[in-house]
Amino acid sequence: MLHILQHSPFQTDLESLLRCVKPGDDLLLLQDAVIAALSGTKALDLLLAAPISIYALHEDIEARGLVAQISTGIVKVSYTDFVGLTVKHEQQITW
């Protein structure tokens, strides 16, 4: 399943989201959710401990001036990659 997070980790219950993921799921961070990919944060620690792959939309990272602060454990993707993730996963949920 593809989980798409759009809201800041400060406005999201990440622990609830992570209880719903299963091994092999993917999580895509969009819009203000890319803040969860900042190095050294509790949100990032929670995400990296989950048995999932985590992606963040590069354009949203750039728009917020966060390119240099994003963890190397997060895969930066383009809109084309975003489409590829939606094709890969028949089921999707937006948080």
Side-chain angles (χ1 to χ4, degrees), residues 15-32:
E15 292 172 355
S16 292
L17 182 155
L18 293 173
R19 281 193 295 270
C20 296
V21 301
K22 296 178 183 157
D25 285 355
D26 290 331
L27 173 64
L28 177 62
L29 305 174
L30 302 176
Q31 300 173 5
D32 286 341

Side-chain angles (χ1 to χ4, degrees), residues 8 13 16 19 27 31 33 37 41 43 47-48 51 56 60 65 68-69 79-83 89 91 94:
S8 163
D13 185 353
S16 292
R19 281 193 295 270
L27 173 64
Q31 300 173 5
T41 62
L47 294 177
L48 292 178
D60 287 338
Q69 299 164 319
Y79 278 106
T80 302
D81 299 322
F82 179 4
V83 171
H89 296 281
Q91 295 183 319
T94 301

Side-chain angles (χ1 to χ4, degrees), residues 5 19 32 39 45 47 68 70 92:
L5 181 60
R19 281 193 295 270
D32 286 341
S39 295
D45 292 341
L47 294 177
I70 298 297
Q92 301 155 23

Side-chain angles (χ1 to χ4, degrees), residues 29 36-38 44 47-48 54-56 61 70-76:
L29 305 174
L38 292 175
L44 178 66
L47 294 177
L48 292 178
I54 305 163
Y55 304 89
I61 294 169
I70 298 297
S71 168
T72 57
I74 303 296
V75 179
K76 297 174 191 167

